[in-house]
């Protein structure tokens, strides 16, 4: 089975950054670029439009980004456009960010709680994740889901720790119906 576009090109960008010693530089640049691309849906539509000439698409990328971002990123965007993967640019860059974080041993966690957490609670959760994993640090995103009733659901990599009251009640209900 062929690799996905984001994996193939994102990995290539990571290897290039590593070879050239530009991991931190490109990480910062891509981190700043993704929100700009997300806010500019028209650019992505233009890059994926079947009736717009390829030279026009490439000239739009060059006019918009050349000199403003590194030649490596501009070149990647042009390459993806030429290969008719312009709609995957954000996914490629997102993969690149995840790959750099993995390289730097930074865990990515999604913490869902029933109520908003205080900064102290967030810090405690992040410290506990660092203590219980092999990560040097944790990059956590927080979400609120009132249907959890209480407790937390923590997703880190392919692991899920679900200590929510909603799940506990569902498990008890299942056990009672089973007997």
């Amino acid at each position: 089975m062929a690799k996905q576009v984001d994996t193939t090109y994102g990995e290539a960008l990571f290897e290039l950054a590593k070879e050239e010693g530009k991991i931190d530089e490109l990480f910062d640049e891509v981190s700043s670029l993704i929100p700009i691309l997300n806010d500019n849906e028209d650019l992505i539509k233009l890059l994926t439009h079947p009736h717009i000439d390829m030279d026009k698409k490439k000239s739009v990328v060059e006019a918009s980004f050349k000199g403003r971002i590194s030649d490596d990123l501009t070149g990647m965007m042009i390459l993806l456009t030429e290969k008719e993967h312009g709609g995957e640019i954000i996914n490629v860059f997102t993969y690149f960010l995840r790959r750099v974080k993995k390289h730097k041993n930074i865990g990515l966690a999604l913490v869902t709680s029933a109520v908003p957490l205080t900064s102290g609670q967030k810090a405690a959760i992040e410290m506990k994740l660092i203590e219980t994993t092999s990560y040097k640090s944790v990059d956590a995103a927080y979400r609120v889901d009132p249907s959890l009733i209480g407790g937390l659901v923590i997703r880190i990599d392919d692991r899920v720790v679900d200590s929510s009251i909603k799940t506990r009640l569902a498990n008890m209900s299942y056990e009672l119906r089973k007997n």
Side-chain angles (χ1 to χ4, degrees):
M1 181 179 222
K3 284 187 175 181
Q4 292 182 343
V5 171
D6 59 340
T7 305
T8 303
Y9 289 93
E11 192 65 35
L13 182 59
F14 172 76
E15 290 300 325
L16 174 71
K18 197 164 93 171
E19 284 174 19
E20 295 184 357
K22 295 182 178 180
I23 289 177
D24 292 332
E25 177 185 327
L26 288 181
F27 181 86
D28 292 342
E29 218 174 332
V30 169
S31 296
S32 299
L33 184 58
I34 287 177
I36 293 167
L37 294 172
N38 279 327
D39 289 344
N40 196 344
E41 292 177 24
D42 292 339
L43 174 65
I44 303 301
K45 286 180 185 175
L46 181 133
L47 296 179
T48 59
H49 198 285
H51 299 299
I52 296 178
D53 181 61
M54 185 59 67
D55 290 332
K56 177 70 173 166
K57 292 177 183 181
K58 290 188 321 191
S59 68
V60 166
V61 171
E62 286 181 347
S64 300
F65 297 103
K66 193 159 184 82
R68 293 184 177 100
I69 63 174
S70 68
D71 290 343
D72 294 328
L73 294 182
T74 304
M76 179 59 76
M77 292 175 73
I78 290 171
L79 176 65
L80 287 164
T81 301
E82 287 175 336
K83 299 288 185 180
E84 298 185 3
H85 298 305
E88 296 295 321
I89 290 172
I90 295 171
N91 293 336
V92 169
F93 288 161
T94 301
Y95 176 89
F96 171 77
L97 293 178
R98 284 194 318 264
R99 183 64 178 88
V100 169
K101 287 179 181 181
K102 182 177 180 181
H103 174 74
K104 292 183 167 203
N105 206 17
I106 300 170
L108 301 174
L110 174 61
V111 180
T112 307
S113 61
V115 296
L117 300 172
T118 66
S119 57
Q121 290 170 321
K122 290 177 182 179
I125 289 169
E126 290 171 22
M127 287 303 299
K128 189 68 171 175
L129 288 173
I130 291 169
E131 290 171 8
T132 58
T133 64
S134 61
Y135 295 117
K136 292 180 183 175
S137 66
V138 173
D139 186 5
Y142 294 90
R143 238 179 37 180
V144 174
D145 180 0
S147 73
L148 294 181
I149 304 169
L152 300 170
V153 177
I154 301 173
R155 286 177 171 70
I156 188 160
D157 293 330
D158 59 351
R159 293 174 282 171
V160 177
V161 177
D162 188 342
S163 65
S164 68
I165 293 175
K166 176 182 178 179
T167 299
R168 289 180 187 176
L169 288 172
N171 289 342
M172 285 190 320
S173 174
Y174 174 76
E175 288 298 321
L176 288 171
R177 278 186 272 141
K178 195 167 87 171
N179 294 329

